[in-house]
Amino acid sequence: QVQLVESGGGLVQPGGSLRLSCAASGSIYRINDMAWYRQAPGKQRELVAVITSGGITNAADSVKGRFTISRDNAKNTVYLQMNSLKPEDTAVYYCNAGVHRTRWSPEYTYWGQGTQVTVSS
């Protein structure tokens, strides 16, 4: 089995910063893309940012210039540095990873349980 555990969410004032972490553990041979999604109340889950195993990144237009995704392949961990937070960033944030459990197994997508980020004064 593979588990993704997020941490770092919380309550922050507008303009503040938070850093989310997501650590993957379990039976892992290789992790391909890792990503952060978010889901606000009453809205569909949306992609926030993605990073390849080689470090190539992409982010949603709504967070470009404010959020930075990074990863530590040795620790199977992905991070999301969130700066200049706005009330509209309030959501549950989920991490996502494409994992090969063995050299010969196909890639499966795993999700974390989510961490709440609330931006409010």
Side-chain angles (χ1 to χ4, degrees):
Q1 284 286 18
V2 175
Q3 298 82 37
L4 272 62
V5 178
E6 299 113 335
S7 60
L11 173 64
V12 63
Q13 292 186 342
S17 298
L18 281 176
R19 188 190 194 211
L20 305 183
S21 299
C22 172
S25 63
S27 179
I28 298 171
Y29 172 74
R30 185 177 73 246
I31 301 177
N32 292 335
D33 292 358
M34 302 185 82
W36 288 97
Y37 286 74
R38 68 185 180 186
Q39 187 167 19
K43 295 188 177 181
Q44 290 188 335
R45 189 173 298 189
E46 63 174 358
L47 176 66
V48 176
V50 60
I51 184 168
T52 69
S53 57
I56 298 173
T57 65
N58 198 5
D61 288 343
S62 59
V63 306
K64 281 182 180 177
R66 301 188 298 122
F67 291 10
T68 302
I69 189 170
S70 61
R71 65 190 283 175
D72 184 332
N73 289 332
K75 296 181 178 179
N76 290 334
T77 299
V78 63
Y79 306 96
L80 186 68
Q81 178 67 44
M82 305 185 294
N83 299 328
S84 302
L85 282 159
K86 304 175 181 180
E88 51 264 42
D89 295 318
T90 296
V92 178
Y93 284 70
Y94 299 89
C95 69
N96 162 295
V99 179
H100 291 270
R101 295 180 61 186
T102 70
R103 181 177 180 179
W104 301 274
S105 65
E107 177 181 311
Y108 289 100
T109 298
Y110 293 90
W111 290 88
Q113 81 286 354
T115 185
Q116 176 70 46
V117 171
T118 302
V119 185
S120 175
S121 55

